[in-house]
């Protein structure tokens, strides 16, 4: 195992021997690429001309007035091409795949946003693409399955276990191990074996870099607090990382599902134990025998029993605080942002908004709170419709 692959005791490379050389080559290629002026110019060209960066830092005046506390800003990653922050990382990894001479792409997806971003990038660069997705997530995110297929990708359903992101990731790793010669595996979050957590953070830190410069431009100072949702944790790490050495309070929001004291949640930091999953050591939801437990969230993108290893390190070092929000609180925040600002947020982002409403009330009116709006909610409208029907049914009973 590479000792520099760790964040404290977390991270590492817990993979079959057949993948060790591939990961070594990938790490070396990444280090060379990010120091290569031509590579970074090409990456930044696609971020500006194809993705649409910089994404706005929007002052949510009506939401601020409604809450009555700190000035609330939204970092609008939902306005990126494909509708989420995921495309930032996909463009970077696809350029790296080309540099390594790979011709085929595989990926895993939960909510579908990473799958759509990967299918989009594969079409752009003319590469064969297969996306692994749990059948439960395919049902919840049927629109994104259709989008991936329109873009030319094959969506490979996974029917074992909870039929969600955990099983899709396991299948993708198995497929990659068999085809490493011509296939590049694009992981969508800051999870997996080294160098993936570092690589995904590297391609997402543009979110935090822009936020810092936009806050200085609009308010003359850095934000007082920044909030982002965490499943695997890529959007949170992207906005947090450039501010780790600044005097900015950083808060990650886990999905508490039906309640953090029930068995149906996805709070691996609050309720998990240290273990190994998908090639990394981190906090994981586990049963009394140490088996990885099922996670639950109304948001398919947060429905994962683990967390990126750098988040585990930041939690233990107390640089970032982590809280939780239930399904009900997230849906309430979803509805509020629709009505107050005319923005339909992703259910993932709605968890960050829900805690942002609580946090803003505790802050002074001249303080600045930034909430990372990591994705748009078109994909979630059917889930919201089903939720509201169920709630109406509970009232009738």
């Amino acid at each position: 195992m590479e000792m520099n692959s760790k964040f404290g005791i977390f991270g590492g490379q817990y993979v079959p021997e057949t993948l060790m050389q591939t990961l070594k080559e990938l790490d070396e290629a990444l280090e060379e690429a990010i120091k290569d002026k031509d590579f970074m110019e090409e990456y930044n060209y696609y971020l500006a001309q194809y993705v649409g960066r910089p994404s706005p830092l929007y002052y949510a005046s009506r939401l601020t007035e409604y809450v009555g506390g700190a000035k609330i800003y939204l970092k609008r990653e939902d306005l990126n091409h494909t509708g989420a922050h995921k495309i930032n990382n996909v463009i970077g990894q696809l350029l790296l795949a080309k540099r390594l001479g790979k011709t085929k792409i595989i990926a895993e997806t939960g909510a579908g946003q990473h799958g759509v971003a990967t299918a989009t990038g594969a079409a752009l660069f003319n590469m064969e693409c297969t996306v692994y997705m749990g059948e439960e997530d395919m049902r919840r995110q049927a629109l994104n399955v259709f989008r991936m297929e329109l873009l030319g990708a094959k969506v490979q359903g996974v029917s074992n276990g909870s039929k969600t992101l955990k099983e899709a990731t396991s299948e993708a790793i198995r497929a990659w191990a068999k085809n490493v010669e011509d296939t590049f595996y694009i992981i969508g979050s800051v999870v997996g074996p080294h160098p993936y957590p570092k690589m995904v953070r590297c391609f997402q830190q543009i979110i935090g870099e822009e936020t810092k410069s936009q806050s200085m431009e609009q308010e003359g100072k850095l934000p007082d607090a920044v909030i982002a949702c965490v499943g695997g944790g890529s959007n949170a790490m992207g906005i947090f990382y450039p501010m780790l050495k600044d005097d900015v309070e950083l808060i990650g929001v886990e999905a508490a599902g039906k309640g953090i004291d029930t068995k149906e949640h996805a709070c691996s930091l609050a309720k998990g134990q240290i273990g190994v999953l998908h090639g990394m050591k981190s906090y994981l939801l586990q049963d009394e025998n140490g088996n990885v437990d099922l996670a639950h969230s109304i948001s398919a993108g947060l429905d994962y029993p683990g967390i990126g290893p750098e988040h585990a390190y930041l939690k233990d070092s107390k640089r970032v605080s982590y809280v939780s929000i239930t399904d009900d609180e997230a849906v309430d925040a979803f509805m509020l942002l629709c009505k107050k600002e005319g923005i339909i947020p992703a259910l993932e982002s709605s968890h960050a908004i829900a805690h942002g409403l609580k946090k803003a009330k505790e802050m002074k009116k001249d303080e600045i709170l930034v909430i990372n709006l990591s994705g748009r909610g078109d994909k979630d409208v059917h889930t919201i419709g089903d939720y509201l029907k169920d709630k109406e049914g509970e009232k009738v009973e």
Side-chain angles (χ1 to χ4, degrees):
M1 183 186 302
E2 298 289 335
M3 294 308 293
N4 64 359
S5 66
K6 296 289 198 68
F7 303 98
I9 64 169
F10 302 103
Q13 292 176 319
Y14 298 86
V15 295
E17 192 63 32
T18 52
L19 288 178
M20 291 299 286
Q21 182 60 28
T22 299
L23 290 172
K24 183 174 184 291
E25 291 170 358
L26 178 58
D27 192 24
E28 291 171 351
L30 173 67
E31 289 298 323
E32 289 175 6
I34 60 179
K35 294 171 186 168
D36 183 334
K37 182 182 173 186
D38 291 340
F39 178 89
M40 293 308 296
E41 280 185 354
E42 188 175 16
Y43 174 61
N44 289 323
Y45 166 81
Y46 282 107
L47 288 188
Q49 305 301 330
Y50 189 73
V51 175
R53 302 203 73 89
S55 66
L57 182 66
Y58 165 70
Y59 174 47
S61 60
R62 291 199 66 218
L63 193 64
T64 297
E65 182 181 6
Y66 175 81
V67 175
K71 297 177 75 171
I72 300 173
Y73 280 82
L74 303 175
K75 181 58 176 167
R76 297 292 307 276
E77 291 298 294
D78 60 312
L79 295 181
N80 293 340
H81 180 44
T82 73
H85 69 292
K86 296 292 187 183
I87 190 74
N88 306 325
N89 166 56
V90 163
I91 293 293
Q93 290 201 44
L94 275 167
L95 291 175
L96 203 54
K98 283 178 56 183
R99 191 178 177 99
L100 288 166
K102 307 295 184 182
T103 57
K104 297 178 182 177
I105 297 298
I106 61 170
E108 83 300 320
T109 194
Q113 290 303 94
H114 173 56
V116 169
T118 303
T120 298
L124 175 67
F125 294 117
N126 191 28
M127 299 176 86
E128 185 178 320
C129 178
T130 301
V131 179
Y132 291 83
M133 191 170 189
E135 290 186 346
E136 171 61 16
D137 288 338
M138 290 178 71
R139 182 191 66 78
R140 291 193 287 185
Q141 301 294 339
L143 175 61
N144 274 342
V145 173
F146 186 50
R147 291 171 74 192
M148 285 183 268
E149 291 172 342
L150 284 176
L151 291 159
K154 176 185 177 184
V155 181
Q156 180 67 53
V158 178
S159 60
N160 56 315
S162 62
K163 305 176 186 177
T164 59
L165 181 58
K166 177 170 76 71
E167 288 76 21
T169 304
S170 297
E171 285 299 314
I173 291 174
R174 273 192 281 271
W176 184 42
K178 295 176 184 174
N179 301 284
V180 292
E181 292 300 319
D182 62 356
T183 301
F184 191 99
Y185 178 20
I186 298 182
I187 292 183
S189 195
V190 285
V191 300
H194 177 80
Y196 279 98
K198 176 180 72 173
M199 178 163 58
V200 176
R201 177 244 286 160
C202 176
F203 291 134
Q204 291 292 3
Q205 69 186 50
I206 184 71
I207 305 172
E209 290 168 354
E210 284 181 3
T211 300
K212 287 177 69 171
S213 62
Q214 290 168 324
S215 182
M216 290 300 297
E217 182 180 337
Q218 294 182 48
E219 292 284 351
K221 65 175 187 175
L222 295 179
D224 296 284
V226 172
I227 296 177
C229 65
V230 289
S234 65
N235 90 90
M237 193 54 65
I239 196 167
F240 290 168
Y241 187 73
M243 302 188 208
L244 287 177
K245 294 181 180 177
D246 297 316
D247 184 20
V248 178
E249 183 178 1
L250 304 174
I251 304 170
V253 185
E254 293 191 290
K258 295 183 179 178
I260 196 168
D261 294 322
T262 71
K263 292 285 288 181
E264 296 182 81
H265 62 77
C267 297
S268 51
L269 285 171
K271 293 289 187 176
Q273 303 294 322
I274 295 174
V276 172
L277 177 68
H278 297 148
M280 64 178 179
K281 179 185 283 186
S282 190
Y283 282 106
L284 312 173
L285 297 179
Q286 299 173 63
D287 65 18
E288 59 275 14
N289 297 314
N291 297 314
V292 177
D293 226 339
L294 298 179
H296 167 81
S297 171
I298 191 171
S299 164
L302 303 182
D303 197 354
Y304 183 68
I307 184 82
E310 195 165 7
H311 282 292
Y313 172 75
L314 292 171
K315 181 235 179 192
D316 279 7
S317 65
K318 302 187 187 303
R319 173 61 187 94
V320 179
S321 58
Y322 294 87
V323 299
S324 61
I325 285 292
T326 66
D327 288 349
D328 290 345
E329 291 174 311
V331 172
D332 288 347
F334 177 101
M335 303 294 284
L336 184 66
L337 195 68
C338 289
K339 291 173 181 172
K340 290 297 180 187
E341 295 290 348
I343 297 171
I344 301 176
L347 271 170
E348 291 84 350
S349 313
S350 300
H351 288 71
I353 296 162
H355 185 72
L357 301 176
K358 297 179 184 179
K359 181 65 182 176
K361 288 178 183 175
E362 300 170 355
M363 297 171 66
K364 299 174 184 173
K365 290 194 174 184
D366 61 349
E367 291 185 311
I368 300 166
L369 170 65
V370 173
I371 302 172
N372 197 27
L373 195 61
S374 55
R376 71 186 188 209
D378 315 36
K379 65 187 179 56
D380 293 319
V381 294
H382 293 297
T383 301
I384 292 291
D386 291 343
Y387 172 91
L388 295 176
K389 285 179 186 174
D390 290 344
K391 286 293 178 184
E392 191 62 31
E394 289 176 11
K395 288 180 184 177
V396 171
E397 290 174 4

